[in-house]
Amino acid sequence: MDIGVLLPTGTAQWAEGDDPRDLITLARTAEHLGFTSLFVNDSLITPRIEALTMLAALASTTETATLGTGALLPFLRRPVQAAQSLASIDLLSGGRLTLAVGAGYPGRFGRPFYALSEVPWPRRFARLDETVALWRALWQGADSFHGEFQDFPDLPPALRPCRPAGPPIWLAGATPTARARTGRLYDGWLPYPPDPADYATGLHDIHRAAAAAGRPPEAVTPALFVTVRIDGADENTAHGQRATDDYARATYGMPLPELAKIQAVVAGPAEQVTERLNQYVAAGARHLVIRPAALNLPAQREQMERAAALIPDLHP
């Protein structure tokens, strides 16, 4: 099992007086608490520390944790330049980079991104797959690339990442077509289904798609993105639910019951949270990326400490 944490790089998770530089301290604390990965999110429509800038800062200030994106939106960046940035982070971190990527989805967190990026919305999934193929080609020394969306007959020598094949690339998506593409093309899967049973079904589909493509099931790392709020000994469940609802409204502009319909959210006493997370583990998840539901950096640290105490009890 790998247990990671999503760092609160968005200003919606900061309170007045919070120092963004404390994100470095928070990351180092998470590593020392036993979290094996540190993830960051990507956005242009909500204020936050830019994802690759944050990972570059962590490359030299952390030691062992995987540095990940949950999820990177490649269409926000020029693909060749992005490949260089990603290879740079992988080199500076000693080969600790893992990329979860996504194409966006309809609504507040989809089409507005594309308007800002000046990239067409149609065929966004094919564009994502082709961009990933271009990155991998660059990292392995290709001198040309010919695709539907990008054509480079004469590529200059590219910076090579630490690992010959480049960093692992996961897909963040849970639709049937996303699961099929994960099994065929990607190194991991990072969804957030509200029901562990749906996770098990999705992972079964991925293994079937991988087998059809001649890949073993272990070629795809089964991960999970999950929002977590753990009640303290002096807090009642109602207090935790209110705090999680405040987080949902601040982060997504919707109440907790609506968010819980579309994303994995686990809140309550430590025993209850452990039991629910282990249901996802039983469904096949082997890398949990926990997002603490807290709205200032000290509270984020407190939630991280509570989550770290659960790590020994999360196991297949």
Side-chain angles (χ1 to χ4, degrees), residues 78-90 135 138-139 158-159:
R78 302 302 302 165
V80 175
Q81 187 274 332
Q84 182 185 37
S85 297
L86 296 168
S88 300
I89 294 169
D90 195 52
W135 289 350
L138 284 164
W139 293 335
L159 181 69

Side-chain angles (χ1 to χ4, degrees), residues 75 103 111 114-115 117-125 127 149:
F75 62 86
R111 287 182 182 273
Y114 279 82
S117 69
E118 299 180 291
V119 173
W121 172 261
R123 295 193 52 74
R124 59 193 182 280
F125 302 116
R127 184 183 297 275
F149 307 99

Side-chain angles (χ1 to χ4, degrees), residues 52 70 101 104 151-152 161 174 181 191 197 200 211 224-226 236 250 271 277 281 294-295 308 312 315:
L52 301 188
V101 298
D151 186 78
F152 298 103
R181 290 162 51 233
L224 172 75
F225 184 91
V226 55
N236 58 38
E271 298 80 5
L277 292 178
V281 176
L295 292 177
H315 49 77

Side-chain angles (χ1 to χ4, degrees), residues 40-273:
V40 299
N41 220 325
D42 195 18
S43 179
L44 273 184
I45 62 171
T46 56
R48 69 179 57 245
I49 302 294
E50 194 273 328
L52 301 188
T53 303
M54 188 75 241
L55 294 186
L58 296 178
S60 61
T61 53
T62 59
E63 298 175 355
T64 60
T66 295
L67 305 179
T69 57
L72 190 74
L73 302 172
F75 62 86
L76 298 180
R77 299 162 178 86
R78 302 302 302 165
V80 175
Q81 187 274 332
Q84 182 185 37
S85 297
L86 296 168
S88 300
I89 294 169
D90 195 52
L91 284 168
L92 293 172
S93 67
R96 291 187 284 131
L97 180 63
T98 289
L99 301 167
V101 298
Y105 52 88
R108 177 188 173 195
F109 295 97
R111 287 182 182 273
F113 283 123
Y114 279 82
L116 291 170
S117 69
E118 299 180 291
V119 173
W121 172 261
R123 295 193 52 74
R124 59 193 182 280
F125 302 116
R127 184 183 297 275
L128 172 64
D129 294 345
E130 184 176 294
T131 297
V132 169
L134 171 61
W135 289 350
R136 287 171 169 162
L138 284 164
W139 293 335
Q140 294 177 45
D143 57 9
S144 63
F145 182 87
H146 304 283
E148 177 183 352
F149 307 99
Q150 295 149 130
D151 186 78
F152 298 103
D154 187 18
L155 286 168
L159 181 69
R160 301 289 188 93
C162 190
R163 290 157 288 185
I169 303 180
W170 303 353
L171 186 62
T175 64
T177 54
R179 298 195 296 264
R181 290 162 51 233
T182 300
R184 293 197 317 269
L185 302 172
Y186 288 85
D187 305 308
W189 186 43
L190 184 65
Y192 44 65
D195 189 341
D198 290 336
Y199 189 93
T201 299
L203 188 57
H204 173 77
D205 292 345
I206 287 170
H207 288 166
R208 185 169 56 187
R215 306 176 71 203
E218 58 270 20
V220 181
T221 298
L224 172 75
F225 184 91
V226 55
T227 298
V228 171
R229 174 82 189 193
I230 302 171
D231 297 336
D234 59 343
E235 298 168 335
N236 58 38
T237 301
H239 172 85
Q241 289 292 319
R242 286 195 301 271
T244 311
D245 184 71
D246 290 343
Y247 183 88
R249 292 174 186 273
T251 304
Y252 286 100
M254 65 177 69
L256 176 60
E258 293 301 311
L259 181 65
K261 292 177 183 178
I262 57 176
Q263 288 194 14
V265 180
V266 182
E271 298 80 5
Q272 180 178 320
V273 170

